[in-house]
């Protein structure tokens, strides 16, 4: 990795580690063989057309297989799936020995117990430093379970907690229109 003189990569990781992310597993198929990897760099990108993005490392052995297939499924992990995250975050043995799955509409694995999932075709791939930025066009969406997500914060797994209700009985603000915020300049 090439960094400018005086750049502190450890501090960079520490600072960005203060941004809480969800944990996903991106899956695909190589013929009949399922492949996948844990990924915390995942986000919604566009509502029209429906696009998402994720960022696999350029050193990933699973990503080139998924890219060749042309489609993938992003499995959003539930809080109780730390072991699944660990398996898919580690190189080596057959990761699918540890978890059951069913094929999505594109054939990519939907992991048993996932909070929800997003099935996509590869729309674009951009090189970005030591990672790729992959844009996926959403072709199908999974149902969602009423559980808490698996989160990653400051280098470890984290959990959400239910906020106590305010005087109106609300437990938090709902931001249904975050992706369609009326004044985009408020967020950019």
């Amino acid at each position: 990795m090439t960094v400018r003189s005086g750049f502190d990569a450890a501090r960079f990781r520490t600072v960005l580690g203060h941004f809480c992310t969800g944990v996903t597993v991106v899956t695909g198929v190589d013929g009949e063989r399922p492949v996948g990897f844990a990924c915390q760099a995942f986000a919604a990108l566009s509502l029209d057309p429906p696009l998402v993005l994720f960022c696999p490392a350029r050193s990933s052995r699973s990503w080139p297989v998924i890219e060749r297939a042309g489609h993938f499924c992003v499995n959003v992990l539930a809080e109780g799936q730390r072991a699944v995250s660990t398996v898919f975050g580690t190189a080596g043995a057959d990761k699918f020995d540890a978890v059951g799955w069913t094929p999505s509409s594109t054939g990519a694995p939907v992991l048993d117990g996932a909070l929800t999932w997003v099935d996509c075709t590869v729309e674009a791939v951009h090189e970005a430093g030591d990672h790729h930025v992959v844009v996926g066009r959403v072709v199908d969406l999974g149902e969602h379970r009423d559980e808490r997500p698996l989160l990653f914060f400051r280098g470890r797994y984290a959990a959400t907690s239910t906020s106590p209700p305010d005087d109106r009985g609300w437990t938090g603000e709902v931001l249904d229109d975050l992706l369609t915020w009326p004044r985009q300049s408020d967020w950019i």
Side-chain angles (χ1 to χ4, degrees), residues 35 37 56-70 132:
V35 296
F37 58 92
R58 290 180 65 168
S59 61
S60 170
R61 290 183 288 175
S62 298
W63 165 241
V65 173
I66 294 170
E67 182 179 24
R68 278 191 306 274
H132 296 284

Side-chain angles (χ1 to χ4, degrees), residues 41-54:
F42 168 73
L45 180 60
S46 170
L47 286 173
D48 187 19
L51 301 173
V52 297
L53 68 82
F54 72 93

Side-chain angles (χ1 to χ4, degrees), residues 51-135:
L51 301 173
V52 297
L53 68 82
F54 72 93
C55 302
R58 290 180 65 168
S59 61
S60 170
R61 290 183 288 175
S62 298
W63 165 241
V65 173
I66 294 170
E67 182 179 24
R68 278 191 306 274
H71 52 82
F72 60 91
C73 186
V74 178
N75 294 266
V76 179
L77 298 188
E79 184 178 42
Q81 293 185 294
R82 289 181 183 193
V84 174
S85 172
T86 300
V87 166
F88 281 89
T90 306
D94 185 359
K95 299 169 184 179
F96 289 87
D97 281 345
V99 64
W101 62 279
T102 55
S104 68
S105 61
T106 65
V110 174
L111 302 181
D112 290 354
L115 193 60
T116 193
W117 51 269
V118 182
D119 200 22
C120 303
T121 58
V122 175
E123 181 82 5
V125 180
H126 307 280
E127 290 188 16
D130 56 3
H131 281 67
H132 296 284
V133 176
V134 178
V135 177

